[in-house]
Amino acid sequence: MPISTLVILIALLTTAPVSVGAFDFTFPWIDREASFEITETLVLDYHDDNLDYGEFGPNPYNDDYGDIRNRLNLKLTVEEFSFSARVDTTTFIQAPKDPGVKIKYLDRYAPEKLTASYHGRNLQVDLGDFYASFGRAIALRIRKTDELSEDTTLLGAKIRAQLGPVDITGLGGLSNPSNWDGVTEKTLKDPYDLISGLSVAVRPMESLVLRAHGVGVIIDPLEQNQRAQGLIEGAFLPEYALVFGGAIEVIELAELADLYAEFNWMEKELKLPDLPAADGWAAYFGGNLYMGDLTLTAEFKSYSDYELFSETDSASGKYKPERLHYIRPPTLEPEDMDVTNNHDVTGARLKIDWRPWGGDTVLFASYAGFVADDPTFQNQPDKSRWIYNLQVGMEQFFLKRGRAKVDVGLREEVPDWAGGDRHHLFYLDADVKVPIGARHSLSAQGFNWWAHTMEAPSAYDYLRGEWTLAYSWSPHLTVGVILGYDTKFSQSRDLEIITDFAGYPVRQVFFAGSLTVNLSSRVVFNLLAGQIRGGPKCVSGACRVFPPFAGVRLETVIRL
Amino acid sequence: MTVHNRSPLLGLFFVSLFCWSGCASSQQKVKPESDKQVVGDFTLRDLKGHKVSFRDFGDKVVLLSFWATWCSPCRTELPLLQEIWERHRGNGFELVSICVDPADTENEVRQMVHRYRYRFPVLMDRETEVINRFNPTMDLPYSMLIDQDGRIASVHQGYRIGDEKALEKEIERLLSP
């Protein structure tokens, strides 16, 4: 495509939503006021050589190309009724065509989500795409997780009704992930999994809620996907799964405590018929005790063979295979922690928060301990490992608007037998914001990991971290520098910028600059130039491996 | 990889940067004040399990503030919003915070609300229904100032120290007779 054509195309893309504008109007035949809203996000990327190491070796195939991604959200609201649509487009410029690229970078122009809703006080109906969650996400969790570039909805219908003290939610639909994967920039095929559920909650007393729920999942009943194997990342794809459970919630106990307990049973038939059915269960208990300036939190979990996921097409070679999680039980660890096993594990966490005399200082400490099946030995269930996570920290408010939070932690995974992998991690998180006058401020935020891993027969150390230093001028702009590093590839604590540990150049230190400008309260512009660290990112026990980025990224968000 | 292929792509960024700056400036000039959108109604539950509808706040000036436990700027902003709320709540102002934490971290939410002694309403948007309606990009923190007629007076994406001053002036302007 000639560059001049591209420039015209981008100009059209960028000006189109602005020229439309937002507006209110009245429907003349029903005399109702309506509101039309537009949220437009445009991202332009130029990918330079990121000096990465792919799944099978050095990876020169994801370099020197560009992409234009556009996300247009439209919404029409008429009192309790709303109609929304999201259209995503992706256009690649000089998309890699090397034979080493197994799954192609595909241009895509398609409506992604479509919803019609009625949200009254006692009745809510969603037709089209919707999110859903039952219990503490133990029975069902279908929602957006931007940090992992996940946005799965159910395409079908959801009805929620309140009849006196009884709340009923019924839903059914096909799993509908965003078809363009923001991590790999490849296309995902819809899994066509059928998911249905029913939840009933009764509130017999002001502070007591009883819940019962059931969820049915049939994986790809019409066999629309080609899958490479039944074993995915150490677990077997189910044919179907049924989850039944209930919960008791004491919302407030004499203004001193709250309690929550949930149990779920999962019946599961696996895709590989020779294997026995793997039924599982999950028990969770959580409670807070409030004692003036002191808060005590206790949580307990016990999960056995409790895992429910699907996978998109993995064998046709055209689409990127991706694992989709339909449940996300609490991990009881910091949210961004890489939790290797949250499906066969038992343990508890105790956390204490103390804000002395209700002042500007908060002290906190938590200890979590678990015993989990050893994931390195799938076929030997008697092999297990101990996991500990101790965290202490402090938060301080100062100068009326400044805030500093620092915490350190130690996490260890130790097998209870003389083999298996061992992981020791010492981590530091810091977040400081300092006001300088009325409208100016400095901030520093980041984390550092000192890790020691023993994967027989070798043992090694590595460093991983990312730090951002930024200056902000309210309400106009923020300018920052980002330093990232990850020395796991070279299995060393030396901060070598580019290592050739395996005979290939791989970047380990990353440096970038960023600029965020609020052109108005409704128009935000972000520019990033340089390199950004890749590697695993985790949220609530689910992780994805991001490739490092090198190049320039321009993002604009307009709300009309 | 060849160096000469990069220059057109880099040029493209500057062209689009120029285009966006121009569009945004003109957007600010042509958008009249009367274009305020109506919010419409929505219903969520608070931490005590009670249903709360936007309509319950009647003809008050309302600040809807979206936040999450993992959002660092939200932790800096919320105590300042609480101070503004305490100064103006008697004059017809209400702060309604909407937490978008998923169900699996609800214990963290309860702990945080108690730790910082948030006294303003905290509504739970576990399934991201309401944030998707008003802020589909899910940027946090995100707030909407709504006037007495239920129309969006302004939106605020992100938080920088000092933003709360301008916000309080807007609130005072809306509250003034």
Side-chain angles (χ1 to χ4, degrees), chain A residues 75-91:
Chain A
K75 185 133 195 161
L76 176 68
T77 307
V78 187
E79 296 193 343
E80 290 92 350
F81 293 91
S82 64
F83 308 89
S84 63
R86 194 180 102 197
V87 181
D88 288 2
T89 67
T90 306
T91 306

Side-chain angles (χ1 to χ4, degrees), chain B:
Chain B
M1 186 176 61
T2 51
V3 173
H4 67 272
N5 278 340
R6 298 184 189 182
S7 52
L9 289 177
L10 285 171
L12 203 60
F13 277 100
F14 289 108
V15 170
S16 32
L17 171 62
F18 173 78
C19 177
W20 269 109
S21 306
C23 293
S25 303
S26 60
Q27 165 66 11
Q28 281 177 286
K29 285 170 191 165
V30 299
K31 190 174 170 62
E33 193 66 19
S34 58
D35 262 2
K36 292 175 184 174
Q37 293 139 291
V38 286
V39 175
D41 199 18
F42 62 84
T43 302
L44 289 170
R45 289 187 184 276
D46 64 16
L47 281 172
K48 292 185 177 178
H50 297 131
K51 278 190 171 181
V52 179
S53 295
F54 177 69
R55 278 188 183 163
D56 297 344
F57 300 102
D59 57 358
K60 287 183 176 177
V61 171
V62 176
L63 182 72
L64 287 183
S65 177
F66 295 90
W67 63 280
T69 53
W70 67 83
C71 163
S72 159
C74 303
R75 286 169 176 254
T76 310
E77 183 188 37
L78 280 170
L80 301 170
L81 294 184
Q82 174 154 281
E83 286 178 15
I84 294 173
W85 175 68
E86 284 170 347
R87 277 196 289 272
H88 299 288
R89 61 186 295 203
N91 303 325
F93 171 67
E94 191 61 77
L95 168 62
V96 180
S97 79
I98 299 179
C99 177
V100 300
D101 265 52
D104 51 295
T105 54
E106 189 166 321
N107 242 23
E108 302 274 342
V109 179
R110 291 177 181 277
Q111 196 180 50
M112 186 168 153
V113 167
H114 187 267
R115 178 197 304 158
Y116 299 119
R117 298 179 182 176
Y118 296 153
R119 289 178 288 277
F120 47 77
V122 177
L123 310 185
M124 297 300 295
D125 189 16
R126 294 188 189 109
E127 297 178 7
T128 64
E129 283 172 357
V130 175
I131 192 171
N132 259 296
R133 178 167 157 189
F134 296 116
N135 173 22
T137 58
M138 281 189 70
D139 298 304
L140 291 175
Y142 183 79
S143 56
M144 297 161 57
L145 186 60
I146 298 158
D147 67 17
Q148 292 93 334
D149 298 326
R151 292 173 181 277
I152 301 170
S154 62
V155 298
H156 304 265
Q157 181 178 321
Y159 170 74
R160 297 183 180 97
I161 287 178
D163 286 358
E164 74 284 353
K165 300 276 184 198
L167 181 64
E168 186 164 13
K169 279 184 183 165
E170 277 187 77
I171 292 167
E172 286 167 352
R173 184 174 58 81
L174 289 175
L175 290 173
S176 61

